[in-house]
């Protein structure tokens, strides 16, 4: 379990570093296009050069959704198994156990909302 957490943290660190470097490259390209626009090039050329780095936000959104859904699936699997086991022994626990499964599914919704905010902003 600890190896999985360390691998996940290392992957997130790599993606964060890649995002920071691409953001720096985008800002450098934007500064270059602004300088070229001031020198007399058209605005269409400036838009074409800055749109090359727009794919990074889609990759970030995909990772937000995928990691949230994987974590939600793992949580639902463990909580659902424990809830079913508890309900098989005592049927009165169904009202107390099932809301926890719904809370675990909420992790996926939060990942989707984060991805939506990444794409919109």
């Amino acid at each position: 379990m600890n190896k999985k957490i360390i691998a996940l943290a290392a992957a997130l660190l790599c993606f964060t570093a890649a995002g920071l470097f691409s953001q720096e490259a985008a800002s450098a390209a934007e500064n270059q296009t602004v300088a070229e626009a001031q020198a007399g090039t058209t605005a269409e050329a400036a838009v074409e050069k800055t749109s090359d780095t727009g794919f990074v936000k889609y990759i970030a959104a995909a990772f937000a959704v995928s990691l949230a859904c994987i974590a939600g699936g793992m949580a639902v699997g463990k909580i659902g198994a424990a809830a079913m086991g508890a309900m098989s022994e005592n049927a009165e626990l169904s009202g107390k156990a099932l809301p926890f499964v719904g809370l675990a599914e909420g992790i996926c919704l939060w990942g989707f909302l984060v991805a939506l905010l990444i794409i919109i902003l």
Side-chain angles (χ1 to χ4, degrees):
M1 183 70 175
N2 289 335
K3 290 181 181 180
K4 290 180 184 178
I5 293 172
I6 291 171
L8 182 62
L12 289 174
L13 183 64
C14 290
F15 292 127
T16 304
L20 289 174
F21 288 130
S22 66
Q23 185 178 6
E24 288 178 9
S27 64
E30 184 177 325
N31 291 339
Q32 181 182 6
T33 55
V34 168
E36 289 175 359
Q38 291 174 352
T41 58
T42 63
E44 294 174 1
V47 171
E48 288 177 8
K49 289 185 179 181
T50 58
S51 65
D52 291 339
T53 58
F55 70 94
V56 175
K57 67 179 178 180
Y58 296 110
I59 293 173
F63 280 116
V65 171
S66 63
L67 291 176
C69 288
I70 290 170
M74 291 171 59
V76 167
K78 291 186 184 282
I79 294 172
M84 291 299 126
M87 285 188 296
S88 68
E89 292 180 9
N90 187 0
E92 295 175 0
L93 293 176
S94 64
K96 295 179 182 177
L98 288 180
F100 291 110
V101 176
L103 288 172
E105 290 176 6
I107 295 171
C108 300
L109 293 175
W110 281 109
F112 173 73
L113 289 175
V114 167
L116 190 65
L117 288 174
I118 289 172
I119 291 173
I120 290 174
L121 301 175

